[in-house]
Amino acid sequence: MDRNHTALILDGSLGHGCVALLALSGPRSGDLVVAESAEPQRSHLERIATLLPSEASRAELSAIVVGVGPGSYTGIRAASAAAAGVAAALNLPTIAIPSDRALYAAAKEVGGETVVLPLGTREVLVIREAGSEIAAHADAPASADLARVASRLPHAFANLASTALSEALAAAARGEAPQRSEIQLRYPSPPRGVDGRGV
Amino acid sequence: MISLRIELSNLAATQQLGTIIAHHLRAGDRLLLIGEIGSGKTTLARAIGSALHADPPLTSPTFLLVSEHQGAIPIWHADAYRLPPGSDPLAAGLIDERHAAGITIIEWPEQVRWPLQGEGSSLLEVELTPGAHDDARGVTLRIGDAERAKSLHTAALAAGIEVADGS
């Protein structure tokens, strides 16, 4: 097959979604087109539609890369629901990538070591190389600039998914059915031995 | 954490306390309502919602888990009653970064395994216990913010509600 292949990248860990299209083959291979969002609440599906305006563009789509958290409660659900829907409709494989790992990789690209992601009114997620943990707003270290991290996030997802994307393309070339397992969302596990009561 | 002990003699007093609490809430607050079934958690939540012009009005969110309301400030009203004990509030949606824009009222918070211990100026806790008669309630109000506790104390006294400093 000599058709071009693309992958759709979807993540909602930052609340406002990350929606991007990655070229996997052809002259533009490796290029990323990002659906910018002036309005943070604009739905993932609307933004996907701007990246895939035609039947021909949808026919090139070969895989969905989805960020499965941890991150914004609403954001990761919106992204994973959109991913599951598009994957089911177009019979595509889904590749699940931990959002915190992508955020960390994006931070590294802009010279940061730590990402502090707002989770709730009191809680933040502190993302470092060694792992992620929940901390109180007041105790959180300085964060890499989230706007700059967001700008590198599609690229980080593309890098983290590259091996799985190659495998998915190879499997498709062999005529195998796409791997579309259930999208399992990830959470930072709360520390053990903590009573439910003391917030 | 400052603790205030309040005696409510009837339903009107409960509603009045709700109004007073509502006027002391600000964006980013998390209000925990603790008490047995029928202790008045939802009555208090409704009164707070009503004072903040909640639209739609607050009802019992037991079967919704979390309901969202417009108003003078966005309100999220959650009820963890149906969650298994020790549930993760992140997975259940009781912790959401959007809550920073409004106030979150959580009933049955003791069902949840909260990831953080300790106090915070944005944390308020109301524990309701049965009073001397059917309509009466005892309320223990715990607030991380001393200034707000003082202002609330003054407002409650001005409204004729009986308040004592707890320990």
Side-chain angles (χ1 to χ4, degrees):
Chain A
M1 281 207 299
D2 57 355
R3 73 172 175 100
N4 284 337
H5 294 275
T6 60
L8 186 62
I9 297 171
L10 297 170
D11 178 63
S13 56
L14 284 167
H16 57 83
C18 157
V19 180
L21 195 65
L22 171 70
L24 298 172
S25 65
R28 295 180 166 278
S29 179
D31 281 9
L32 272 164
V33 184
V34 180
E36 300 290 353
S37 180
E39 307 157 61
Q41 300 307 326
R42 199 169 151 206
S43 83
H44 283 74
L45 286 174
E46 261 181 81
R47 289 158 69 188
I48 292 168
T50 66
L51 292 180
L52 302 170
S54 63
E55 186 68 37
S57 62
R58 289 191 284 275
E60 290 184 350
L61 201 56
S62 301
I64 315 274
V65 177
V66 57
V68 289
S72 158
Y73 177 85
T74 309
I76 57 174
R77 276 162 183 75
S80 58
V86 175
L90 301 178
N91 192 31
L92 297 171
T94 49
I95 296 165
I97 301 290
S99 301
D100 55 342
R101 291 303 95 205
L103 286 162
Y104 176 75
K108 285 286 277 186
E109 285 194 38
V110 297
E113 289 289 337
T114 309
V115 181
V116 178
L117 193 64
L119 284 182
T121 60
R122 304 185 65 223
E123 300 83 1
V124 293
L125 187 69
V126 179
I127 301 170
R128 296 191 179 91
E129 185 171 18
S132 306
E133 58 182 359
I134 296 177
H137 266 291
D139 304 334
S143 174
D145 179 53
L146 287 182
R148 292 183 70 207
V149 170
S151 71
R152 298 306 295 167
L153 196 55
H155 190 247
F157 272 105
N159 280 344
L160 289 171
S162 63
T163 310
L165 282 168
S166 308
E167 283 168 10
L169 283 189
R174 291 193 298 271
E176 291 169 19
Q179 294 283 316
R180 186 151 36 80
S181 53
E182 190 185 338
I183 296 170
Q184 294 270 0
L185 301 184
R186 292 170 79 252
Y187 302 98
S189 42
R192 292 289 146 204
V194 176
D195 267 354
R197 175 66 187 282
V199 175
Chain B
M1 198 166 243
I2 315 282
S3 183
L4 299 175
R5 176 74 194 166
I6 300 171
E7 300 299 332
L8 301 170
S9 52
N10 53 39
L11 186 62
T14 304
Q15 285 165 340
Q16 213 168 8
L17 178 66
T19 306
I20 292 167
I21 292 174
H23 291 147
H24 283 81
L25 294 175
R26 53 184 177 234
D29 279 342
R30 183 180 291 163
L31 175 69
L32 307 180
L33 297 180
I34 298 162
E36 291 306 310
I37 290 172
S39 61
K41 298 185 297 300
T42 302
T43 303
L44 192 64
R46 277 179 150 148
I48 292 169
S50 164
L52 295 173
H53 311 289
D55 176 30
L58 271 63
T59 54
S60 171
T62 304
F63 294 100
L64 294 175
L65 201 56
V66 184
S67 60
E68 299 193 18
H69 307 261
Q70 307 281 314
I73 185 169
I75 303 166
W76 285 269
H77 186 198
D79 188 335
Y81 183 69
R82 286 196 311 136
L83 294 176
S87 288
D88 180 358
L90 281 166
L94 301 185
I95 292 177
D96 186 324
E97 88 286 358
R98 294 183 306 147
H99 294 173
I103 61 166
T104 316
I105 302 173
I106 303 178
E107 302 189 26
W108 295 98
E110 58 273 52
Q111 287 290 94
V112 171
R113 185 186 290 274
W114 295 93
L116 297 176
Q117 292 255 307
E119 303 176 3
S121 59
S122 63
L123 189 68
L124 297 92
E125 204 174 276
V126 176
E127 188 167 353
L128 293 137
T129 47
H133 56 91
D134 272 1
D135 283 349
R137 296 287 185 273
V139 176
T140 307
L141 191 61
R142 297 182 199 95
I143 308 177
D145 175 348
E147 214 164 288
R148 259 206 286 187
K150 200 174 158 193
S151 166
L152 232 151
H153 190 161
T154 310
L157 287 177
I161 295 172
E162 205 180 309
V163 187
D165 276 318
S167 51

